[in-house]
Amino acid sequence: MGVYLISVGAEEWFGEEGGWGEIATALNDDLRQRGLPPYESVPEEEQSFVRGSGQAFEEKLISSMDGFDALCEAHLSQEETETLSHWSVLVPFSLDEEILLPIGSAYSESSTMVAGAPQVLAVAQRLATAIELPSETPRMCDNLDLTMWFREGAAKELAAARPGPWADDLDAAFYVALFLRAAEHSVRRGCPMAYC
């Protein structure tokens, strides 16, 4: 059990049973009211899983966020922190402001906060630069690759060999990497991301 951050394919996104169909419909209604085109070009999930292909995203939120919160407080404004991490659904296009939908989500029984991946990506890149997130951090996160890299020892080994600001708190660095890679994936694949 636990909370996962995943990419969502078209069938689930528009699905009525067990999917995100209600959120997809409400989002499109809100976009139309704002004079924006509906979000309908969601790619299908790949049927055959190929590790490292970058076609899917799945990571598990295990670690404490206390260090990440402190990191955000030190480097970001309150507004930037909210942009980076206070959403429950991420879409691959720009939004001038987050969209609050009156539909329950993994974070709240009564609402869903939708954010634009380009805005999240810009803030995540700044924070990754600030902590000098290493280039070895996994980029394709299709099967808990990021989670395992931080939890199973590879990050600790690299931190011992090449310390830096990122190595001061590996749990905090995990969340920086998580939001960075999630936003990158959403933009690259053109797909929504959601917690489940």
Side-chain angles (χ1 to χ4, degrees):
M1 296 300 291
V3 177
Y4 290 82
L5 178 56
I6 62 167
S7 55
V8 181
E11 186 175 342
E12 282 188 289
W13 182 249
F14 295 112
E16 294 303 320
E17 288 188 32
W20 280 267
E22 190 177 4
I23 290 172
T25 299
L27 174 62
N28 282 342
D29 289 344
D30 192 286
L31 290 171
R32 287 186 187 98
Q33 289 174 9
R34 295 168 188 249
L36 299 170
Y39 176 40
E40 297 175 338
S41 59
V42 179
E44 292 289 347
E45 283 286 329
E46 292 294 323
Q47 296 303 313
S48 56
F49 173 75
V50 178
R51 180 180 288 282
S53 68
Q55 299 302 303
F57 187 103
E58 179 186 13
E59 293 294 345
K60 187 173 184 179
L61 285 69
I62 300 172
S63 308
S64 166
M65 291 189 80
D66 292 345
F68 174 74
D69 292 339
L71 192 63
C72 289
E73 191 173 323
H75 293 279
L76 304 174
S77 68
Q78 182 63 34
E79 183 179 343
E80 290 169 328
T81 298
E82 290 175 4
T83 296
L84 179 62
S85 60
H86 292 191
W87 48 266
S88 41
V89 170
L90 195 62
V91 290
F93 50 87
S94 290
L95 292 172
D96 290 338
E97 61 182 0
E98 291 86 0
I99 296 175
L100 183 63
L101 302 174
I103 298 168
S105 66
Y107 270 151
S108 168
E109 292 182 5
S110 61
S111 64
T112 295
M113 183 67 76
V114 181
Q119 286 77 22
V120 172
L121 180 57
V123 178
Q125 287 171 331
R126 281 190 45 222
L127 202 52
T129 299
I131 67 165
E132 300 174 16
L133 191 69
S135 60
E136 290 86 348
T137 305
R139 293 185 177 278
M140 301 305 167
C141 307
D142 48 24
N143 189 25
L144 305 179
D145 295 332
L146 199 58
T147 303
M148 301 311 277
W149 191 78
F150 276 95
R151 302 284 299 181
E152 297 296 315
K156 289 178 184 169
E157 290 174 11
L158 183 62
R162 190 159 19 103
W166 75 278
D168 294 341
D169 185 336
L170 292 180
D171 287 347
F174 166 76
Y175 285 105
V176 173
L178 176 75
F179 292 119
L180 176 67
R181 298 303 186 226
E184 288 174 342
H185 183 88
S186 180
V187 170
R188 184 178 67 250
R189 288 276 296 145
C191 68
M193 312 290 288
Y195 292 98
C196 66

